[in-house]
Each structure stands twice: as C-alpha cells, then as structure tokens.
C-alpha cells in the first residue's frame, strides 16, 4: 500500500538533511510501528508524506497504491486515502468542529466523484462514531480543538480518521500527553478501524501504546534511516534496553 | 470662518458655494442654520487634520462628486429573504412608488422633506441635536454639513415593538449623484425596532442618522455597504442611550473606493448596553475607515466595539476607536477589538485605539492586531482534504466570526454570512 524508497529530505530553509534514505513498505491490513529517539526524523517522515511545506525531497520516492504522493497537494493526498493524526492537533478558533468535519468529508467525497452527504446523513454517522470515542455533542459544537484537553484533542483526531475512512493512517505520537484511560480509548478507536483494506503506521517513542495497538512489524529509526526491522518483540527490546544498542549497530 | 487656515477656508467655501439650502426648511431651519455655522467655524476636513490622518478627505469634501460607474448585477440583493417594510431612495431621493406603504404597528415613518414643513413635530428637538453634541471633543464637520443641507431622509418614531424591520434601500442610478440623507429615529421607553440599510445610494453619499433611545428601548441596526466599487460614502451614526437601553449596530462593507463610517455613542442612562461592530472586505483600491467614539456617562454600562477587516491586493483598512469614561461612570465595562487579516503583503491596516478613563472602578480592554492566514491551520484543513481555496475561506470567515456574531437575529446573520461567502468565492479564481 505505502511504499517509500530511498527517501532523502532536507529542511527547505537551512541546509540540514533530516531523512537520509528511508526504505519502508507497509502492506494493506498491517500495522507497522516506527520507534526511535528524539530527532531521528520520525515526525519529519509523517509531515513529508502528508505534504507539509518547509521540506525538500532531494532523492527517493513515496507512493500510495502506486500513486506518487510527493507530486500531490496535501488535500489530494488526503483524497487519495492518506491520513495523518497530528502529534499536536491544531486549534482553529471560529470554525465549529462539526462544520470542519462535514466540509472535510464532503470535500473528499467530491474529489472522489461521490455525492456529498446531506446534513442529516452526516449527523447520523458522526453521532454514532463520536459516541464510541466518548465525544459529546458539546465537543462537536465547539471550535476545532479550542479549549480541548490533550486527551480530547487526540480523540478528536481519531474521530476525524473514523469519519474520513482513509486507507493509510499515520499516527504521529498519538500517545503523547495521554493518561492510561485516554490511551485505551484512543487505541480502541484505532483498533475498531483495523481491517483488511486499511494500513497503519504508528510513530511512537514508547512501547506502551503498542500494548494496546498491536503492531505486525516494528521499525527502529535513527539519524534519518530505518536501522532495524523486526516483529513486536523489537518494541519490548527497546523498552528494556533503550535505543543505545540500535544506535551502535547503525 | 476667517480663523481657518487658508487652504481649509478655500475648500470649505468652495464646497458651500456648490450647495443650496432647502427652500422650505420649516422647523429644521434653525437647526440647519446652526449647523451651517458649525461648518463655517470648524471648516471641512483637510489632509493635515489629526482625525483624518489615515483617510484622505479630499474626495468627500470637493464640490463635485467624483463619477462612479453604476454596477449592475442580477444577484439577489441582501435582506431579500427578510420580511420588512421597504423604503427606497434613488440617488438620495425617496421613491414612493418603489417603497412599501410605511404602515407598521407601533411605528410612524415620515419623509423628512414633507414632515419638516408641518407645524409641530416630535423630531424638532432632535434634528441636528445629537450631531451637534457629537462635535465635541472631536469635530465631525461632514455631519454638520449634512444637517445643514440634507435633502431627504426618514423620521421614525417608535412607540411599541416593531414586528418587522424597517429597511432603507439606497439605489445608485446616476454616475455623478451626490446624496445628503438625514434620518432621525426616536424610540420611546421600552420600544424596540430593527433598522436595515443596504445599497450604495449614490456616487457619493453623506448619511447622518440620529438615534435617541429612551429607557429600556432597544435598537438593532444592520447595514450592508457594497457592490458599486467606485462609490464613496461618509456616514455618521449618533446615538444617545437612556437607562437599560440597548443599541446594537453592525455594518458589512464590501468594495467601495472610499468609506468613512463614524459612530458616536453616548451612554447617558445607567445599565445601558451599546455594541458596534463591522466586517469589511476589501480588494485593490478599497479604502475603509471605521471611526468610533463611545462616551460612558452613567453607571454600570457596557460597550463593545468589534471590527474585523480582510484586505487584499493593496486594500487599506483604518480603525480609530475611542472609549471615554467620564468621572462618575463607575462599573463601566468597555471592550474594543480591531483586527485585520492581510491576504497579501501589499495591503495595510492602520489603527488608533484609545482609552481615556476618569473613573476608578472600571474594566476596559482594547486590542488591535494585524496578521496573515495561519499557515499551520491551513495545512491542518488541507491535510483533511479541504482544498486550499475553501480552506482559506473557512479561516477567513472564522476570523470575521466575532464581528458577525454581534448580529443578534439568526436570519440576518445568515444573510450577511451569505454575502461574505459569495465575496470570498468570487475572488478565489
């Protein structure tokens, strides 16, 4: 589904290479995790894939089901089925959460040549999905993420994911700032979306999120490269010994 | 008049020479004469005047109105979906044929031109009175000029709760029209009404509205200035608020090479509330100036000024806003915010927020900001599949929301939002 080949990325503003040849293939139906220390390039990878400004791809390729992602605008990548759950969800004062979600869902439907959802249809779907994530009507009415707690913001990200039904979901440190209960709620939301046609790339520092969202494959990233790939046991190894061993290997 | 600087004196005399007073001013005569004296003493606005630092007054002062092309469009005019009593003015002249029968329970509506010749009239003590009070501490000579030379307008006396809004529609049909409209609105104790205004009105329009609110009265005002891009306007709204009265005014301005909207509010009764707000969207040689002066002269009153401007392609926005709290006006709650969203580097926003407070138990705050579209927010919306154009519009509407929300009536709010969306969409390509 997602194929990244020899991806080299530098910051546009300064001559600093962040990704130095990332190779990664995520198959449909699978959950891959990327772990790594701060500054290893994990978040950069998620931003480059979703099309944020400020990065320059100097070499390599990234495709989603054969479509060249790097050629597309952020909204086209979203319509193609890519979703990024932000590490720091953005507050947008003045835009109601519900309006935002409906605009997004309908923009994607339009881009795919589908009919837009009516207000009633949309309401029916969102109520059901919000309920599962314990998001109440009040939170749906409020401006996007404004005054939300850390946990509420992350649940809101998962609600967006559930509404947009992407095929490739990237979760960037979704566990940061969450207590155990909130993490469980978020993980349940993610697990509910797991199916044959959908893949996940879970970026995290810690193994604890992976207790709740069980990965099929774990990658260790260091200094802009994937330095080791293995099964779920790799995460446990990190938890016990830290990253030092892998860094030395690299 | 001789005490004025030469350039100002010449400009004022040239303007006055081109105007003629109505032949039968009736009871407005003394007020018109007094206003003329004010103009002669103050002189008309000139480029060096402090109050006109950010706006060039020349085109509003010169004897001839600069020509303005008439804009024709098949769009439905704003407020079309609102059940209202329509009063139509064409280039500043009342058009009875195009207007509704001004019959509305609890409200009497008369045309200034006809009513001024009657023997006794309730408006006699008001016409030009609030304008004259509003000349200190800052002079507003264009308003005095209006009182002296107004050719038409409406006198609205509200004694009950008006069940429908009164809607003043200003059509512009002549490329060189110069209109002087003067309206007086008096709301008796507990009375309530909504006044709507829309349309360019003339190539150049000078409009004055004086609103007197007795105790517990409520006045809602929603105005749309737009369409004809080359039109010019200088407007003044003067209001005096009695105890527990409510005054709420909102203006949306789209297009127009020159707009100066002054609003002068005086809270003279305890527990009164005055809100004045505006949303302006400007493109290119658009120049829009909001000048507001709120005087608190009673206890426990609340005032709010909320002004938002979206500027692109070199458009200019101006805000001069003042809150004056007089001695003894304790428990005053004053709020003022003026903000601009600059959609490119060529546009500019000039703001002069002021507070002057002579009471010690008050809460007043003000803020003024200027900024671009938030790139992080834009990326967030785009990453959810919303294309750049609609995402920018969504953020722009969000920026304007605080001002638009000052309109209490949901249907009127929706009418305004519709216009804002349309304006943004038309500029997306």
């Amino acid at each position: 589904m997602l194929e990244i080949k020899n991806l080299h990325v530098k910051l546009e503003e300064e001559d600093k290479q962040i990704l130095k040849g990332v190779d990664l293939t995520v198959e449909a139906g699978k959950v891959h995790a990327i772990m790594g220390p701060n500054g290893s390039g994990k978040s950069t990878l998620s931003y480059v894939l979703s099309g944020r400004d400020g990065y320059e791809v100097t070499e390599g390729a990234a495709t989603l089901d054969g479509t060249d992602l790097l050629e597309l605008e952020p909204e086209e990548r979203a319509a193609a089925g890519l979703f990024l759950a932000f590490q720091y969800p953005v507050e947008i004062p003045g835009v109601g959460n519900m309006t935002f979600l409906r605009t997004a869902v309908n923009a994607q439907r339009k881009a795919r040549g589908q009919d837009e959802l009516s207000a009633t249809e949309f309401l029916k779907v969102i109520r059901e999905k919000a309920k599962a994530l314990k998001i109440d009507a009040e939170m749906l009415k409020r401006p996007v993420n404004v005054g939300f707690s850390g946990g509420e913001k992350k649940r809101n990200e998962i609600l967006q994911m559930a509404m947009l039904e992407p095929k490739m979901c990237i979760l960037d440190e979704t566990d940061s700032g969450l207590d155990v209960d909130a993490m469980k709620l978020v993980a349940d939301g993610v697990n509910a979306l797991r199916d044959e046609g959908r893949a996940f790339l879970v970026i995290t520092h810690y193994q604890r999120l992976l207790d709740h969202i069980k990965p099929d494959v774990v990658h260790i990233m260091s200094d802009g490269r994937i330095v080791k790939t293995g099964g779920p046991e790799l995460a446990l190894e990190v938890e016990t010994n830290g990253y030092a061993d892998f860094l030395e290997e690299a | 008049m001789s005490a004025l600087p030469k350039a100002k004196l010449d400009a004022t005399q040239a303007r006055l020479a081109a105007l003629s007073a109505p032949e039968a001013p009736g009871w407005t005569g003394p007020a018109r004469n007094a206003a003329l004296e004010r103009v002669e003493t103050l002189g008309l606005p000139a480029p060096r005047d402090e109050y006109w630092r950010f706006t060039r007054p020349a085109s509003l002062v010169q004897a001839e109105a600069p020509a303005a092309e008439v804009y024709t469009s098949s769009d439905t005019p704003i407020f079309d979906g609102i059940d209202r009593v329509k009063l139509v003015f064409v280039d500043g002249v009342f058009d009875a044929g195009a207007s509704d029968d001004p019959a509305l329970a609890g409200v009497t509506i008369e045309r200034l031109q006809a009513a001024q010749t009657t023997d006794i009239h309730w408006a006699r003590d008001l016409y030009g009175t609030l304008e004259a009070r509003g000349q200190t501490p800052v002079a507003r000579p264009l308003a005095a000029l209006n009182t002296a030379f107004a050719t038409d307008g409406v006198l609205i006396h509200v004694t009950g709760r008006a069940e429908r809004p009164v809607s003043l529609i200003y059509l512009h049909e002549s490329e060189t029209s110069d209109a002087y409209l003067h309206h007086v609105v008096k709301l008796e104790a507990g009375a309530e009404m909504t006044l709507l205004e829309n349309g360019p009105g003339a190539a150049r329009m000078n409009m004055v509205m004086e609103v007197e609110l007795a105790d517990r009265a409520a006045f809602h005002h929603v105005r749309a200035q737009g369409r004809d891009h080359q039109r010019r306007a200088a407007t003044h709204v003067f209001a005096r608020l009695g105890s527990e009265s409510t005054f709420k005014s909102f203006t949306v301005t789209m297009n127009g090479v020159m707009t100066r909207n002054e609003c002068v509010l005086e809270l003279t009764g305890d527990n009164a509330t005055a809100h004045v707000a505006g949303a302006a969207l400007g493109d290119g040689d658009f120049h829009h100036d909001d000048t507001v002066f709120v005087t608190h002269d009673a206890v426990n009153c609340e005032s709010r000024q909320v002004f938002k401007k979206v500027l692109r392609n070199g458009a200019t926005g101006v805000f001069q806003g003042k809150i004056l709290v007089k001695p003894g006006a304790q428990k005053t709650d004053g709020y003022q915010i003026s903000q601009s969203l600059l959609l490119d580097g060529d546009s500019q926003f000039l703001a002069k927020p002021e507070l002057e407070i002579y009471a010690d138990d008050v809460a007043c705050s003000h803020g003024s900001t200027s900024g671009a579209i938030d790139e992080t927010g834009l990326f967030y919306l785009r990453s959810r599949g919303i294309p750049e154009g609609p995402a920018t519009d969504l953020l722009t509407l969000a920026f304007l929301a605080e001002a638009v929300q000052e309109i209490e009536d949901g249907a009127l709010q929706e009418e305004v939002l519709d216009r804002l969306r349309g304006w943004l969409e038309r500029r997306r390509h």
Side-chain angles (χ1 to χ4, degrees), chain A residues 34 36-40 42-43 46 84-89 154 170-178 201-206 209:
Chain A
I34 297 186
N38 284 327
S40 57
K42 306 187 301 294
S43 286
S46 72
L84 169 65
F86 281 53
Q87 182 179 1
Y88 303 107
K154 296 297 170 78
I170 305 173
L171 278 63
D172 187 9
E173 302 205 16
T174 295
D175 51 338
S176 69
L178 295 187
L201 186 60
V202 180
I203 296 171
T204 182
H205 270 296
Y206 306 106
L209 179 66

Side-chain angles (χ1 to χ4, degrees), chain A:
Chain A
M1 175 166 290
L2 177 69
E3 202 153 339
I4 302 170
K5 279 186 187 155
N6 194 29
L7 191 64
H8 286 68
V9 172
K10 69 184 261 301
L11 289 180
E12 232 166 42
E13 304 253 306
E14 46 191 299
D15 201 23
K16 191 179 173 194
Q17 201 73 31
I18 309 284
L19 300 185
K20 300 171 180 172
V22 173
D23 287 286
L24 179 68
T25 302
V26 181
E27 310 80 10
K30 301 290 185 196
V31 173
H32 284 228
I34 297 186
M35 302 183 73
N38 284 327
S40 57
K42 306 187 301 294
S43 286
T44 296
L45 178 63
S46 72
Y47 285 142
V48 168
L49 291 175
S50 56
R52 188 171 187 145
D53 278 349
Y55 301 99
E56 189 188 329
V57 175
T58 51
E59 212 184 320
T63 57
L64 182 64
D65 281 341
T67 307
D68 182 0
L69 280 177
L70 304 177
E71 284 296 307
L72 302 180
E73 295 294 335
E75 58 270 26
E76 294 170 327
R77 300 181 195 202
L82 184 78
F83 181 92
L84 169 65
F86 281 53
Q87 182 179 1
Y88 303 107
V90 182
E91 296 187 5
I92 307 186
V95 178
N97 210 11
M98 194 84 105
T99 308
F100 160 59
L101 274 164
R102 195 167 155 223
T103 309
V105 167
N106 281 335
Q108 291 204 14
R109 292 182 67 94
K110 199 175 154 193
R112 295 189 201 118
Q114 296 165 311
D115 284 340
E116 295 190 358
L117 285 184
S118 74
T120 332
E121 289 168 311
F122 176 80
L123 215 60
K124 198 172 158 241
V125 183
I126 197 168
R127 277 207 183 117
E128 191 187 307
K129 300 198 172 184
K131 200 177 162 196
L133 287 158
K134 297 202 169 125
I135 290 173
D136 58 20
E138 175 61 25
M139 250 176 87
L140 290 174
K141 269 189 218 153
R142 268 152 55 184
V144 180
N145 293 326
V146 177
F148 285 26
S149 70
E152 285 174 335
K153 283 181 180 170
K154 296 297 170 78
R155 276 187 275 149
N156 203 29
E157 292 293 288
I158 305 304
L159 175 65
Q160 292 167 39
M161 193 162 87
M163 289 302 296
L164 295 168
E165 300 182 324
K167 50 188 179 191
M168 181 70 231
C169 309
I170 305 173
L171 278 63
D172 187 9
E173 302 205 16
T174 295
D175 51 338
S176 69
L178 295 187
D179 60 30
V180 180
D181 293 337
M183 184 152 28
K184 178 105 190 0
L185 208 56
V186 163
D188 287 348
V190 172
N191 289 330
L193 288 169
R194 289 179 74 155
D195 77 38
E196 303 265 299
R198 186 170 288 137
F200 291 83
L201 186 60
V202 180
I203 296 171
T204 182
H205 270 296
Y206 306 106
Q207 191 264 334
R208 56 177 193 170
L209 179 66
L210 304 179
D211 286 343
H212 301 286
I213 305 172
K214 301 257 188 276
D216 300 296
V217 183
V218 174
H219 308 273
I220 306 295
M221 194 163 178
S222 168
D223 193 25
R225 280 188 202 92
I226 306 276
V227 292
K228 182 146 190 159
T229 296
E233 71 287 348
L234 206 51
L236 294 169
E237 221 175 295
V238 168
E239 190 71 1
T240 321
N241 303 328
Y243 289 111
D245 296 351
F246 303 108
L247 305 194
E248 272 164 31
E249 279 176 40

